[in-house]
Amino acid sequence: MADTEMAEILYELEVGGHKLTPLRLALIEIFGRQQRPLLLEELGKLLMGTLIRVHRATLYRELVFLESRKIIATVSLEDGKRRYEFADRDHHHHLVCTSCKKIEDVELKDDEHGLDKLVKTQNDFLITHHSLEFFGLCGACK
Amino acid sequence: MADTEMAEILYELEVGGHKLTPLRLALIEIFGRQQRPLLLEELGKLLMGTLIRVHRATLYRELVFLESRKIIATVSLEDGKRRYEFADRDHHHHLVCTSCKKIEDVELKDDEHGLDKLVKTQNDFLITHHSLEFFGLCGACK
DNA sequence: TCTTCAAACGCGACACTGTCGCGTTAGTAA
DNA sequence: TTACTAACGCGACAGTGTCGCGTTTGAAGA
């Protein structure tokens, strides 16, 4: 994450009357650095790397808060477990290795434009966004 | 679901030494009839329509069993809740209404062929399948 | 029809997850 | 330094999913 991006986020929080607490700063830093969706469990481990210890309820509340401010977004993959990732980024998709469970971000070639238009028109449906994940084997597991 | 399809499933179960219990038959019937992913909660309500009452653990075990036999598959949408749907069907995707939460199945136009090829090749990743969901507003909610 | 066997089941226990209310702490501005 | 309130810790709680174990029952054979 670029420093200016970080500064923007912090500025908006301050303007909104929100405190820059150690947990909040640490989470924004972690999400900015990790370019992949994180399980709550993984988040906990990364927090252990800092000196920050918080109650379960506090962490959940903070994630709900960060999501409400569009700083992070929730992602849902095939296993049904909720994951969180940094939100202020280009539209992208995920590659999930079915063997080692590693998740990478991936961008599509230009051809993606119009993906939403592929839907058969008989469905009287106004599409606003989509979610696309690819599953398979990563380089190490092939 | 076609009757022959149903007969095939039951035959394979018998050959595998598995019993055709009331719960199992009811679930296969329900999944065959409902052409959309079902929450555990919705499944419970549909079972109430039959005279079948089972313990929570039994239902979970049965779902795991049916999934292991590829009779049903789990689906995961944006809300992180696990859903189940009949598996023996053509490859398709979902339309999720963000307002009324209704979920429809949808097929793409021919252009879909090659979706897996859109992934930028620098990712040393062997793609086996993908999952694609569209979100927006259905006809009634627009 | 009766017997037999293992698949399937019910039940209770358990750990885990996510949320809530409430009293306390601490970041920020004055 | 003070005051305000966002954020926090804690305990309680309901919901979810799994496990072990003793019991029941579907299905095949006597």
Side-chain angles (χ1 to χ4, degrees):
Chain A
M1 176 171 51
D3 286 352
T4 54
E5 214 172 329
M6 175 76 153
E8 264 176 45
I9 291 176
L10 301 187
Y11 175 72
E12 280 177 23
L13 286 176
E14 283 187 309
V15 168
H18 297 287
K19 299 179 184 174
L20 303 182
T21 65
L23 171 63
R24 185 160 294 164
L25 292 171
L27 285 179
I28 293 174
E29 228 256 51
I30 286 172
F31 281 114
R33 194 200 309 275
Q34 303 286 330
Q35 296 292 317
R36 64 193 177 90
L38 297 170
L39 289 169
L40 193 86
E41 178 194 338
E42 297 173 304
L43 214 43
K45 283 183 189 165
L46 288 169
L47 276 178
M48 294 295 265
T50 70
L51 294 177
I52 298 165
R53 300 289 174 276
V54 290
H55 191 266
R56 188 172 69 245
T58 303
L59 182 51
Y60 280 115
R61 272 191 289 237
E62 187 60 26
L63 289 171
V64 168
F65 171 79
L66 291 176
E67 194 183 355
S68 76
R69 309 294 305 203
K70 311 271 189 206
I71 294 170
I72 63 171
T74 58
V75 182
S76 185
L77 301 177
E78 225 174 28
D79 61 3
K81 291 178 186 165
R82 210 183 303 176
R83 286 175 173 80
Y84 305 85
E85 72 173 353
F86 193 50
D88 190 10
R89 293 159 56 202
D90 292 335
H91 178 64
H92 68 284
H93 303 96
H94 299 116
L95 281 175
V96 184
C97 178
T98 51
S99 172
C100 69
K101 312 299 180 195
K102 193 177 67 175
I103 300 171
E104 295 175 28
D105 283 357
V106 65
E107 288 177 26
L108 297 190
K109 295 175 185 172
D110 300 336
D111 317 36
E112 181 188 1
H113 301 300
L115 189 58
D116 291 351
K117 294 193 185 69
L118 285 183
V119 178
K120 285 186 177 173
T121 48
Q122 59 257 44
N123 293 285
D124 183 24
F125 206 100
L126 176 67
I127 293 174
T128 55
H129 60 292
H130 62 254
S131 140
L132 174 57
E133 275 93 39
F134 296 94
F135 301 90
L137 296 172
C138 70
C141 292
K142 268 196 302 196
Chain B
M1 174 171 51
D3 286 353
T4 54
E5 213 173 329
M6 175 76 151
E8 262 177 47
I9 291 176
L10 300 186
Y11 175 73
E12 280 177 24
L13 286 176
E14 283 186 308
V15 168
H18 297 286
K19 300 180 184 175
L20 304 182
T21 64
L23 171 64
R24 185 159 294 164
L25 291 171
L27 285 179
I28 292 174
E29 228 254 49
I30 287 173
F31 281 114
R33 193 198 310 273
Q34 303 284 331
Q35 296 293 318
R36 64 193 176 91
L38 297 171
L39 289 169
L40 193 87
E41 178 193 340
E42 297 174 303
L43 214 43
K45 284 184 189 162
L46 288 168
L47 277 178
M48 294 294 267
T50 69
L51 294 177
I52 297 164
R53 300 289 175 276
V54 290
H55 191 269
R56 188 173 70 243
T58 303
L59 181 51
Y60 279 116
R61 271 191 290 237
E62 187 60 24
L63 289 171
V64 169
F65 172 80
L66 291 176
E67 193 183 355
S68 76
R69 309 295 303 203
K70 312 270 190 207
I71 294 170
I72 62 171
T74 59
V75 182
S76 185
L77 302 178
E78 224 175 27
D79 61 4
K81 292 179 186 165
R82 210 184 301 177
R83 287 176 172 80
Y84 305 86
E85 71 174 353
F86 193 50
D88 191 10
R89 294 158 57 203
D90 292 335
H91 178 63
H92 68 284
H93 304 97
H94 300 115
L95 281 176
V96 183
C97 177
T98 51
S99 172
C100 69
K101 311 299 178 194
K102 193 178 67 174
I103 299 171
E104 296 175 26
D105 283 359
V106 66
E107 287 178 25
L108 297 191
K109 295 176 183 169
D110 300 337
D111 317 37
E112 182 189 0
H113 301 300
L115 190 58
D116 291 351
K117 294 191 187 70
L118 285 184
V119 178
K120 285 187 177 172
T121 49
Q122 60 259 40
N123 293 286
D124 183 24
F125 206 100
L126 177 67
I127 293 173
T128 55
H129 61 293
H130 62 254
S131 142
L132 174 57
E133 276 93 38
F134 296 94
F135 301 90
L137 295 173
C138 70
C141 292
K142 268 196 300 194

